[in-house]
Amino acid sequence: MANRRWTPVWLGMPALTLILGLGLGPVVLMVRMSLYERTDGVGNYTPGTATLANYERLLEADSLKIVGFTLLFGASVALATVVIGYVLALVLDSWPRRWRTVGLAVVVIPKLTNGLATVFGLKRILGEQGPINSLMVNSGLLVHPVEFWPGALGAAIAEIDFILPYVVVLLVLQLGRIDPRWLAAARGLGASRTQVFRRVTWPLSIPGILLAGQLSLMWGIGSLFGPQFLGNPSETTISVEVQHQAFDLGHWPRAAAWAVLLFAINGMAFALSGYLARRCR
Amino acid sequence: MMFRHVAAIGLLLLMLWPALDAAWLSFSPDSFLTPPTDRWSLKWYRNFFDDRRWAAAILRSFISASASATAGVLVAAPAAWAVVRYRSWFNGILKAGMLLPVAIAPVVLGMGLLPFLYRLKLSGSPVALVAVHTLMALPMLFWIFQNSFAQRSDILEAAARGLGASPWQAFRLVTVPLTIPALIAAWICGFLISWNEGIVTVFLTTPSTETLPTLAWRQLKFSVSPLVAVASCLSLVLTVLGVGVILRLTKRFGSHSGA
């Protein structure tokens, strides 16, 4: 059975090659980049230098503020996305097949336009004179319009809007795997709706929720478009800072140091969330 | 019990709103963001088509998204098959490897890839862009296939074999039809990830190889141009048509092989 032993290797090799080649290579290069000194003027970095100055810069107060905000922002976005996504997926799953397809299509359609068109639309909708604020102020629900942006609230709404479709698709697929006969059986054996949910639906949704949660957490921590276009400049995420250092200031080594930090944070958040999920189970 | 359905429909409409709003604004006759109420105009559409960059970017985005979705399916499906159907020392490595693209934030990937591709003399290459988008979609596609393959189709396959089917027949007549929903879902997810990916892409494209998100990003960074709204409206029509055709084809293929 030597042949059989090697089959999975052949099947998985293309994926692993892609991951290690394009995923690990850049990370290694970036670690090296973060240790260079900056060249004054046009050049990106000075070859042959090695310094920890770029990392020391990350320990200053304003840098730590960015790190703290990134973590808080990512965690809140992930939590909100998973809760909203799971509830929506549960309702969609209860719909007849045809309507579920329509619902999923509606979830996916905004993703077909372009993430930035969404930013464009959101900016107007959430604006001070936008439809939401005028509706609430005119109807007397609010005295003053809510300032969604520039601010963390608008940025978070944009990021949730970006991530939610993926989470809903994943969770609807996961819920679709649950055999409806089990639910019927549980009901037939006298379980209440709540009990059916707690004892059958919930445990069987956990793998999907775990994946959706980790994906949202990674994407939330790595948020760029939301904070950049709707956020407050004094409250930025690490991604915005990386982009700012690299493109606006041309300080590649410092941008790389930020990027290495972001990679480390994502890795730790990933491991921690996986560990907690296993403990809770 | 009615409430949850109303709330879900409301949420779905909310998710649709920004895209619809952008579409509405694209017909504005003004240069600033006022929605058209009495006067509608195709002015921005004319400007859009006069500027070659936009149409080229939409086409480029569509090709790279289709290519990376297809590549993603071709790479992720065998890997998921290996993990589900074989017990091997390799599975652990594969599963751990699948976590890596998730843990690399797009900005980090883009920053690292720029010098990396430069060293490989691949900067600006469309093939590299497609490969990177495939990499980013891989974990999600892998999960979708893994989930689908684990659905005990092995029992049905064994049944088909027991009834006298050859391994190839069992694969073609049992496994493939059972995999079609996952195949469609995976392809669409791969397409969407590439179609919307603007962060890594911004690092990897030059003005002559720009995709829709990067062009829109550069535009939005400096001014709020209604051209972005036009682009989103047109790309919606284009992708709905494109995905519709593909779904129709897959369905036809699915019903044939299932018959």
Side-chain angles (χ1 to χ4, degrees), chain A residues 4-9 11-16 18-27 29-30 33 36 45 84 88 90-92 94-95 103 106-122 124-125 131-132 161 164-166 169-170 173-174 177 193 207-208 211 214-215 218-219 222 224-225 228-229 239 242-243 246-248 252 255-256 259 262-263 266-267 270, chain B residues 4-5 8-9 11-13 15-19 21-22 24-25 33 35 75 78-79 81-82 85-86 88-91 93-94 97-109 111-117 119 128 131-132 134-135 138 140 143-144 147 150-151 185 188-189 191-193 195-196 198-199 202-203 212-213 216-217 220-221 224-226 228-229 232 235-236 239-240 243:
Chain A
R4 202 177 153 79
R5 247 186 78 202
W6 284 99
T7 315
V9 180
L11 290 172
M13 223 35 181
L16 202 65
L18 193 65
I19 291 168
L20 294 183
L22 279 180
L24 214 54
V27 172
L29 263 183
M30 213 166 36
M33 170 75 81
Y36 282 128
Y45 58 90
I84 298 172
L88 185 58
L90 280 173
V91 180
L92 284 180
S94 74
W95 286 0
V106 171
V107 167
V108 169
I109 281 174
K111 287 268 124 193
L112 295 175
T113 56
N114 167 346
L116 284 147
T118 315
V119 165
F120 184 87
L122 274 175
R124 208 187 73 81
I125 293 172
I132 290 184
D161 193 53
L164 195 55
Y166 297 111
V169 169
L170 281 180
L173 278 177
Q174 178 75 39
R177 281 192 64 191
R193 276 179 188 279
L211 179 84
Q214 287 189 318
L215 271 179
M218 296 301 114
W219 285 341
L224 175 63
F225 285 162
Q228 182 169 24
F229 291 110
S239 286
V242 171
Q243 190 274 133
F247 283 140
D248 301 337
W252 281 77
L262 184 55
F263 180 65
N266 263 349
F270 198 96
Chain B
R4 61 199 179 113
H5 298 296
I9 292 171
L11 184 59
L12 288 176
L13 292 178
M15 288 170 76
L16 209 50
W17 196 4
D21 194 74
W24 185 33
L25 277 170
L33 293 174
V75 172
W81 186 263
R85 290 301 173 85
Y86 297 89
S88 150
W89 52 272
F90 193 63
N91 289 356
I93 300 177
L94 204 53
M98 284 294 166
L99 303 181
L100 190 70
V102 184
I104 307 179
V107 165
V108 180
L109 190 61
M111 260 220 73
L113 276 170
L114 192 59
F116 185 69
L117 293 178
R119 285 195 186 183
V132 172
T134 308
L135 171 76
L138 208 51
M140 191 180 271
W143 183 84
I144 292 174
N147 219 352
Q151 268 176 27
I188 292 178
C189 280
F191 185 94
L192 295 183
I193 288 176
W195 181 260
N196 283 286
I199 303 178
V202 115
F203 285 90
L212 188 60
W217 188 70
L220 272 180
K221 220 178 161 191
V224 194
S225 156
V228 177
S232 92
S235 55
L236 177 67
T239 45
V240 166
V243 171

Side-chain angles (χ1 to χ4, degrees), chain B residues 111-133:
Chain B
M111 260 220 73
L113 276 170
L114 192 59
F116 185 69
L117 293 178
Y118 180 77
R119 285 195 186 183
L120 295 175
K121 306 238 180 329
L122 280 172
S123 21
S125 139
V127 177
L129 189 68
V130 168
V132 172
H133 286 179

